[in-house]
């Protein structure tokens, strides 16, 4: 049986097969979400308020932080409600909004991480021409390209996914509305949707990852030719945080989307998906603040400024 009309809503089963874990997951997700809100808001404020952080690297980092704030806010509140109570429904409109934002911002992050890798490549390999190449206008253009490509990808893929003929039980075996879960819910022909998902994965996941690897290969080759401990230290200081974020982000994506089609893999994939959707946005600000001396100094300067203002008042 196939539901030919738009369903009123769906059941997000999430982790309901593990009811003993739901309260633990609620605390973990809430903690991660609060860390995401505080950490990413702090990075945005520092990038805006501290003149010493008015550079391309922190412009892109503030874009990434704003993206993570929007990304998690699009589904975490609903997920917390579903984890805490017995009601696990989501309306069709709510599912549409979740899917649209999830696709758009997930794609934007892939492109934005690639842009940041290019910025690091120029900083390490072309330091004398860095200010000429990575000028403010180019930064704005590259950021705009990332956001527009994410929006375009969502506009292209969201309608065909939600226009699928869904099975009457309307049970999504996931904690949010995303393309693979909705495709599995369909009782009709999903050939076009699977091809579309595969093509978009190559364009927006494989190609950006390949460009990032090429950028870091060029950086490693340039540093090896210099053969200087100081050069290695400078390159690591510039690239280590971004490289760590890229490793965590793409490892999570590969674990979620490139898995065999069997029930065990799908159950395991939900936990990887939870880490990708909730864990990585909370880890990004921690990585950049704990491993970045400039951000630490900016935070101390902001604290000193606030203390000075409070003493004057």
């Amino acid at each position: 049986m196939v539901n030919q009309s738009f369903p009123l809503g769906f059941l997000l089963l999430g982790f309901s097969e593990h009811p003993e874990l739901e309260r633990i997951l609620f605390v973990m997700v809430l903690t991660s979400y609060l860390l995401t809100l505080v950490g990413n808001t702090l990075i945005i404020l520092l990038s805006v308020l501290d003149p010493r952080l008015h550079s391309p690297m922190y412009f892109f980092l503030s874009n990434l932080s704003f993206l993570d704030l929007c990304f998690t806010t699009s589904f975490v509140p609903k997920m917390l409600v579903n984890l805490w109570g017995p009601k696990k429904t989501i309306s069709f409109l709510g599912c549409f909004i979740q899917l649209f934002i999830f696709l758009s911002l997930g794609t934007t992050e892939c492109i934005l991480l690639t842009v940041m890798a290019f910025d690091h490549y120029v900083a390490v390999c072309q330091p004398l021409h860095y200010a000429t190449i990575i000028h403010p206008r180019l930064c704005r253009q590259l950021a705009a390209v990332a956001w527009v490509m994410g929006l375009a990808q969502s506009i292209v893929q969201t309608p065909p996914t939600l226009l699928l003929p869904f099975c009457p039980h309307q049970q999504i075996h996931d904690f949010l509305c995303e393309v693979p879960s909705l495709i599995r819910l369909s009782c009709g022909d999903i050939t076009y949707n699977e091809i579309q998902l595969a093509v978009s994965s190559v364009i927006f996941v494989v190609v950006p990852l390949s460009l990032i690897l090429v950028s870091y290969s060029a950086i490693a080759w340039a540093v090896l030719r210099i053969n200087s401990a100081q050069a290695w230290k400078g390159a690591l200081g510039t690239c280590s945080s971004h490289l760590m974020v890229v490793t965590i982000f793409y490892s999570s994506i590969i674990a979620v989307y490139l898995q065999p089609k069997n029930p065990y893999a799908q159950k395991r994939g939900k936990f990887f998906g939870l880490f990708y959707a909730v864990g990585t946005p909370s880890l990004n600000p921690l990585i950049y603040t704990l491993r970045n001396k400039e951000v630490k100094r900016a935070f101390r300067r902001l604290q000193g400024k606030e203390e000075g203002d409070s003493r004057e008042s």
Side-chain angles (χ1 to χ4, degrees):
M1 293 180 63
V2 175
N3 181 17
Q4 298 292 346
S5 60
F6 289 125
L8 295 176
F10 300 97
L11 285 173
L12 289 172
L13 297 182
F15 302 93
S16 55
E17 71 271 22
H18 303 288
E20 71 282 359
L21 289 179
E22 287 194 323
R23 295 303 166 93
I24 298 173
L25 289 173
F26 176 88
V27 174
M28 292 174 62
V29 171
L30 179 59
T31 303
S32 296
Y33 183 52
L34 293 177
L35 286 174
T36 300
L37 293 179
V38 173
N40 287 292
T41 302
L42 178 62
I43 287 178
I44 294 171
L45 288 175
L46 291 176
S47 300
V48 172
L49 297 177
D50 195 312
R52 300 185 192 184
L53 298 186
H54 291 176
S55 65
M57 174 182 173
Y58 296 102
F59 171 76
F60 294 129
L61 180 57
S62 60
N63 269 265
L64 181 63
S65 295
F66 178 69
L67 185 152
D68 284 338
L69 284 175
C70 298
F71 182 76
T72 52
T73 303
S74 68
F75 67 89
V76 168
K78 180 62 178 176
M79 182 183 176
L80 290 172
V81 171
N82 290 348
L83 283 172
W84 187 258
K87 189 178 180 181
K88 303 183 185 303
T89 57
I90 184 170
S91 66
F92 182 84
L93 178 61
C95 188
F96 172 84
I97 293 171
Q98 267 195 6
L99 179 62
F100 189 89
I101 296 175
F102 192 85
L103 271 175
S104 177
L105 297 187
T107 303
T108 301
E109 186 159 1
C110 291
I111 307 300
L112 196 57
L113 289 174
T114 309
V115 170
M116 294 173 76
F118 171 70
D119 173 63
H120 293 330
Y121 162 76
V122 177
V124 175
C125 300
Q126 303 286 337
L128 298 179
H129 303 286
Y130 178 78
T132 305
I133 298 173
I134 310 294
H135 51 80
R137 183 182 176 186
L138 179 64
C139 292
R140 291 192 294 269
Q141 290 172 341
L142 290 173
V145 166
W147 287 94
V148 169
M149 288 183 73
L151 183 63
Q153 153 71 350
S154 191
I155 290 173
V156 168
Q157 197 163 4
T158 299
T161 303
L162 287 175
L163 287 173
L164 283 168
F166 296 114
C167 297
H169 61 78
Q170 298 169 3
Q171 295 177 353
I172 300 175
H173 291 273
D174 211 333
F175 55 87
L176 55 80
C177 293
E178 59 171 339
V179 176
S181 303
L182 289 167
I183 288 177
R184 288 195 294 268
L185 180 60
S186 174
C187 289
D189 184 13
I190 58 173
T191 304
Y192 170 76
N193 300 83
E194 288 186 329
I195 293 173
Q196 187 184 47
L197 179 61
V199 171
S200 63
S201 297
V202 170
I203 295 173
F204 296 111
V205 178
V206 177
V207 172
L209 179 58
S210 301
L211 293 174
I212 291 171
L213 293 175
V214 168
S215 298
Y216 277 108
S217 298
I219 291 171
W221 176 247
V223 175
L224 283 171
R225 283 191 302 171
I226 298 172
N227 195 20
S228 165
Q230 190 65 27
W232 272 106
K233 186 178 179 180
L236 284 174
T238 302
C239 305
S240 59
S241 296
H242 178 259
L243 190 57
M244 191 177 297
V245 167
V246 166
T247 302
I248 295 172
F249 179 76
Y250 278 99
S251 298
S252 305
I253 288 182
I254 291 169
V256 173
Y257 293 102
L258 300 181
Q259 56 177 315
K261 293 183 178 180
N262 59 68
Y264 173 74
Q266 290 175 10
K267 288 179 182 179
R268 184 184 60 187
K270 278 194 287 189
F271 289 95
F272 283 119
L274 181 65
F275 178 74
Y276 159 67
V278 180
T280 53
S282 64
L283 288 176
N284 289 351
L286 288 175
I287 292 170
Y288 276 105
T289 53
L290 293 177
R291 297 183 61 85
N292 193 307
K293 293 181 180 178
E294 290 184 14
V295 173
K296 290 180 183 177
R297 293 193 194 105
F299 183 62
R300 293 193 195 102
R301 286 194 294 270
L302 183 63
Q303 283 183 315
K305 186 176 180 180
E306 289 176 349
E307 290 172 2
D309 291 343
S310 63
R311 283 196 296 268
E312 288 176 6
S313 61

